[in-house]
Amino acid sequence: MSMLLLKLAAQDLLTLASRRRMVPHLAARWRHFRGLDASESERSAWAESLVSLANDLVAAGRGNVEMIVECAATRDETDRPGDPRLIDVVLVGHHPENHRLSVQLVELKRWSTVTRVERATAELVDVPGMENKKHPALQLREYYTAFTSEKGPLGGLQFECGGFAYLHNATDESVRPLIDVDAPTGAYARVYTNDGREELLCDLRRNFADTGGASAAEILLQGMGLRNTPLLDAMIWSRGDDTVFTLRGRQKVVADQILATASKVLPDPRRPAFVPDERRVIFLVTGGAGTGKSAIGLQIKAELESQGRTVKYASGSRAFNGAIQEHVGYGDREFRESFSYFSSFVTPPDPRLDVLICDEAHRLRDRSTSRFWKPEQQGTGPQVDELLDASRLTVFFMDEGQSVRPNEVGTVGLIEDAAERYNAQLLPYGLREQFRCGGSDGYIRWVRATLGVTDDIPGQWEPDGLMHIEVADTPEELERIIRTEALAGASARMVAGYCWPWTKPLGDEKRLEADVRINDWHRPWNADSESFCENDAPPSKIWSVHKNGLDQIGCVYTAQGLEWDWCGVIMGEDMVRRDGRWEFRRGKEREGPEPGVKRVAVPGSFDPKVKAGSVNDGEFARLVRHAYNVLMTRASRATVLYSTDDETRAYLKQLVGEVEIHGLRPTWENLPQEARIPHLPRPRRRGKRPRKNRNRPDATGSDPRLF
């Protein structure tokens, strides 16, 4: 999960506080992060101390300096025993003289008096009403080491870093033991009281320039693991040979264990004559959207291939596979063929693969079938069995909350039953850290609560500086925002609930009908085609990555597994708000203006997969909720919502609240230069790539449950 509660410039934090939204946001994040409610003392400390520090920054003319509140140095703090080290505030900007990254680590204390503990040094003091406390500089020393060490977020960067404790309720005399001659010293050991406020203002000016706070914070967030390279861009940078993912925390644990297990149960490609180990192992990795499942899968694929293993990467998503094959592996046949579909293993490969990686395993079907296949080509047994028959070691990545079709049977129980049938060792792992939606687990929870995917009570969205959301008044406004960002350099797409008929390309010219019709605004769905259509409209499998995809509207089936900087989400009338609850509706069609074209007769869902004859009302509601959950979690920076229903749109506006807070809206123009990462075109066509075998040492580490 994100190791911070809030990231805002000082001036924006004061705006949030003035609207009485800062403390509720921090409290909600605290409960999710710590698993318990923030105490009244903690809440009052936020309200008093954070505002005091922010006011001082503004008074010093440094309101642009970013305040990162209650954060840990890296996500890997979760690997430490006990609670992670959370520092009160990290101030981030640029140094006014050398323009390097400038960071100040801050401990906020509301102590008004302290006395020295008898026969103790100044490192231990007595605070009235509390037990003995260490000098704040001792805490700051730990934080300083964590941030500036080789593995910390400042490692390898040119930076200025220091720290101070701020006791805004105290005087120098009332806390003399903290500032006496024998107090701890160091770049992180300064102590300011109310008497020293002018000195603090001078030091803030000396340490921070009056511009560039957001740009500096972006650099630090990247070091903390809260800004990741988009998946497709990472793959293109590596040209499919090795990914550039940096796995962290639980991700790294899972990847290392898979690699270590492969080295034990698979034959050594360098010594093929050795008798192979016959044990079967199944990994089941569960986690919500954006927890890095695909990053792990693609990383272990590259690592295993480099060892000479036979590996395939299977998915139930044509959009995901199409984007990888066409946008990343363009012109590289071997790379393209290493990606396949769950239905590709009706006949098991001979010889069996070493490893089969099954992404989006919640999309597994009961059987592998197709209306285009001959009877003898259809699957006769469970699809999960076909996947297990195809390889020695199988890895399943699953999120049951993203199941959007009634024939998707992938569940934890399904994999557990299959492992028992195959007498295989099942190793389950869960992921929680959030890497999508700007690393904002708060946004993910807000979406799920708002849609009723969870039982949490929906609340007002509280900006956290990581993810942005707003509600458009018209579809024209939504499209204008998305197009503006796309043309400026961001990645962006428009998607919608399946609430309009979907016409196949018409005529020899393969014209796309403008099926998505909202008043006078008409746009086509992405092309239901395997080839390009009129006006160079891309086929559905590469709609998400082709530049002309901006002219069409995608749905959950072409968006699942992918992400963009900005995503415009149109909610249709399959899910509307009535009398304080969600109401779900099926639509009816009528004849359109020409053969093959349909129009809406009764607004609602037109998804052929969830017709009344296919699913009951309860299952229909669940699948519609899940579909919008997928659509609303495709953006890495900002989501723009629009509902065709007036009452629903008003409800969403009420939950989202005001959105224009200074420069928080992450438009391409407002983004710091460091965040303006241009999205890469697909690579040029190239020749056959020789198979690698770098004879890397086997992964180390073991799991006592397995061996």
Side-chain angles (χ1 to χ4, degrees):
M1 64 186 70
S2 307
M3 292 293 192
L4 61 82
L5 300 192
L6 182 67
K7 180 200 77 73
L8 287 178
Q11 59 199 15
D12 298 324
L13 185 143
L14 292 177
T15 302
L16 198 64
S18 70
R19 295 174 178 172
R20 299 186 178 182
R21 294 174 64 183
M22 181 187 75
V23 172
H25 166 76
L26 291 170
R29 293 274 290 167
W30 180 274
R31 177 167 181 75
H32 179 69
F33 184 58
R34 292 287 187 131
L36 46 84
D37 289 325
S39 66
E40 286 303 318
S41 173
E42 193 72 46
R43 292 167 184 258
S44 62
W46 291 330
E48 182 182 343
S49 298
L50 290 176
V51 169
S52 179
L53 179 60
N55 276 322
D56 288 340
L57 283 160
V58 171
R62 298 299 184 264
N64 70 290
V65 170
E66 295 281 326
M67 299 175 63
I68 302 179
V69 179
E70 296 277 6
C71 79
T74 67
R75 290 177 180 270
D76 293 336
E77 281 288 317
T78 53
D79 296 338
R80 298 177 68 249
D83 290 333
R85 295 169 294 192
L86 296 180
I87 186 170
D88 289 342
V89 182
V90 177
L91 301 180
V92 192
H94 285 293
H95 197 274
E97 295 180 2
N98 55 32
H99 304 293
R100 291 178 177 176
L101 186 65
S102 184
V103 175
Q104 290 291 309
L105 311 173
V106 185
E107 273 295 300
L108 297 171
K109 303 295 185 187
R110 292 193 297 164
W111 304 345
S112 55
T113 61
V114 303
T115 57
R116 183 170 299 192
V117 175
E118 189 176 358
R119 294 187 302 278
T121 68
E123 293 185 353
L124 196 63
V125 295
D126 178 73
V127 181
M130 301 182 185
E131 57 188 31
N132 294 341
K133 295 289 186 180
K134 289 182 178 181
H135 193 292
L138 301 184
Q139 291 176 274
L140 287 165
R141 182 167 64 194
E142 282 191 45
Y143 302 137
Y144 184 87
T145 300
F147 272 84
T148 61
S149 67
E150 183 179 341
K151 294 184 178 180
L154 297 176
L157 300 175
Q158 296 291 319
F159 64 88
E160 302 285 342
C161 184
F164 61 87
Y166 189 21
L167 287 75
H168 50 86
N169 289 332
T171 65
D172 287 353
E173 192 57 39
S174 67
V175 294
R176 179 61 58 186
L178 297 181
I179 57 176
D180 226 338
V181 292
D182 57 351
T185 58
Y188 45 78
R190 303 191 308 280
V191 175
Y192 298 103
T193 69
N194 191 48
D195 288 345
R197 184 171 182 269
E198 286 304 317
E199 182 184 358
L200 171 61
L201 299 185
C202 288
D203 279 352
L204 291 172
R205 296 185 190 105
R206 187 160 45 246
N207 284 296
F208 295 107
D210 58 4
T211 58
S215 177
E218 196 69 28
I219 297 172
L220 189 62
L221 289 177
Q222 290 171 5
M224 294 168 69
L226 292 171
R227 294 293 194 213
N228 276 6
T229 305
L231 184 142
L232 290 180
D233 284 353
M235 291 292 290
I236 294 173
W237 275 117
S238 64
R239 291 298 189 263
D241 295 337
D242 292 298
T243 71
V244 294
F245 301 117
T246 300
L247 302 183
R248 300 178 177 89
R250 189 69 167 165
Q251 287 183 324
K252 192 172 187 306
V253 171
V254 173
D256 286 348
Q257 186 58 56
I258 294 171
L259 294 171
T261 301
S263 72
K264 293 179 174 66
V265 303
L266 297 178
D268 188 336
R270 294 167 296 187
R271 292 176 289 180
F274 276 43
V275 177
D277 191 323
E278 294 300 327
R279 287 171 291 183
R280 296 293 303 271
V281 181
I282 299 172
F283 282 86
L284 175 59
V285 184
T286 56
T291 50
K293 299 183 296 296
S294 297
I296 297 172
L298 292 167
Q299 187 69 31
I300 62 173
K301 175 181 182 289
E303 290 286 339
L304 291 165
E305 286 178 334
S306 75
Q307 298 169 12
R309 309 287 188 190
T310 56
V311 186
K312 281 210 171 184
Y313 197 103
S315 169
S317 170
R318 294 182 74 252
F320 179 83
N321 269 18
I324 291 280
Q325 292 175 328
E326 295 294 323
H327 202 60
V328 180
Y330 178 69
D332 188 336
R333 180 177 177 181
E334 182 183 355
F335 177 77
R336 288 162 57 97
E337 290 180 350
S338 69
F339 290 85
S340 58
Y341 299 95
F342 295 154
S343 58
S344 302
F345 300 94
V346 174
T347 301
D350 186 18
R352 281 191 301 178
L353 300 168
D354 289 328
V355 181
L356 178 60
I357 301 166
C358 301
D359 203 354
E360 297 201 353
H362 45 273
R363 303 196 68 177
L364 284 169
R365 308 297 200 270
D366 183 33
R367 298 282 190 275
S368 295
T369 60
S370 171
R371 59 192 176 93
F372 301 108
W373 293 354
K374 297 176 181 178
E376 62 272 18
Q377 295 176 311
Q378 308 286 341
T380 57
Q383 189 177 73
V384 66
D385 288 4
E386 296 169 357
L387 300 175
L388 293 176
D389 288 335
S391 65
R392 287 287 316 285
L393 189 152
T394 315
V395 184
F396 293 99
F397 293 101
M398 179 182 296
D399 174 13
E400 291 180 320
Q402 290 196 60
S403 175
V404 296
R405 287 181 172 178
N407 61 346
E408 293 175 349
V409 300
T411 63
V412 170
L414 179 82
I415 306 301
E416 290 174 340
D417 291 345
E420 186 173 347
R421 286 199 308 275
Y422 277 74
N423 193 28
Q425 176 85 42
L426 178 66
L427 297 180
Y429 288 90
L431 300 173
R432 289 191 63 201
E433 297 172 326
Q434 179 54 237
F435 292 88
R436 190 170 285 155
C437 300
S440 176
D441 45 72
Y443 173 76
I444 299 290
R445 288 184 288 111
W446 181 85
V447 168
R448 292 169 69 85
T450 297
L451 297 175
V453 174
T454 64
D455 294 330
D456 295 337
I457 298 174
Q460 190 171 50
W461 164 244
E462 304 294 349
D464 59 4
L466 297 174
M467 186 64 188
H468 175 80
I469 183 169
E470 57 188 86
V471 180
D473 289 315
T474 64
E476 289 88 350
E477 180 187 1
L478 180 145
E479 182 176 20
R480 176 183 56 77
I481 294 169
I482 296 302
R483 280 190 177 277
T484 298
E485 293 309 307
L487 294 175
S491 59
R493 282 295 182 272
M494 293 180 288
V495 296
Y498 203 150
C499 297
W500 293 268
W502 198 315
T503 305
K504 290 185 177 294
L506 299 167
D508 293 338
E509 70 278 17
K510 304 184 76 172
R511 173 174 56 86
L512 299 185
E513 175 67 16
D515 289 314
V516 182
R517 307 174 75 83
I518 306 171
N519 300 321
D520 294 330
W521 184 84
H522 307 156
R523 293 293 179 271
W525 288 112
N526 61 253
D528 184 3
S529 171
E530 294 294 324
S531 59
F532 282 86
C533 299
E534 187 181 50
N535 297 323
D536 207 24
S540 60
K541 66 180 180 180
I542 60 170
W543 160 84
S544 63
V545 292
H546 193 278
K547 62 180 182 178
N548 291 344
L550 190 63
D551 296 326
Q552 302 95 43
I553 311 298
C555 77
V556 66
Y557 303 125
T558 46
Q560 197 166 25
L562 300 165
E563 64 178 322
W564 308 280
D565 294 330
W566 283 72
C567 187
V569 181
I570 299 172
M571 294 186 70
E573 299 199 32
D574 55 348
M575 184 173 179
V576 297
R577 196 74 180 177
R578 293 291 183 271
D579 301 322
R581 63 183 183 85
W582 288 109
E583 188 175 289
F584 299 88
R585 299 172 173 175
R586 291 181 168 95
K588 293 183 180 180
E589 61 187 26
R590 61 176 175 82
E591 292 299 323
E594 59 181 294
V597 177
K598 304 292 183 181
R599 291 284 184 260
V600 174
V602 176
S605 172
F606 285 82
D607 188 344
K609 304 295 183 182
V610 294
K611 289 181 178 179
S614 303
V615 296
N616 60 31
D617 290 346
E619 180 69 356
F620 172 68
R622 184 185 73 85
L623 294 171
V624 171
R625 290 183 202 270
H626 282 192
Y628 282 118
N629 178 46
V630 170
L631 295 177
M632 290 170 66
T633 54
R634 296 305 94 195
S636 61
R637 293 194 179 274
T639 299
V640 183
L641 289 175
Y642 171 77
S643 173
T644 57
D645 177 71
D646 292 343
E647 189 172 332
T648 305
R649 194 164 62 252
Y651 173 69
L652 294 172
K653 277 183 168 287
Q654 177 187 346
L655 289 183
V656 171
E658 299 179 65
V659 297
E660 294 292 348
I661 305 176
H662 298 289
L664 275 185
R665 194 163 175 263
T667 61
W668 192 261
E669 182 181 54
N670 284 344
L671 283 181
Q673 190 62 43
E674 286 75 9
R676 298 185 189 180
I677 302 173
H679 294 273
L680 299 169
R682 68 183 181 183
R684 295 179 179 178
R685 183 182 297 274
R686 57 181 182 160
K688 184 176 177 63
R689 172 168 51 94
R691 177 171 293 279
K692 305 182 300 300
N693 188 341
R694 301 176 191 157
N695 296 321
R696 292 185 180 178
D698 289 336
T700 58
S702 61
D703 187 332
R705 296 172 299 171
L706 183 59
F707 303 110

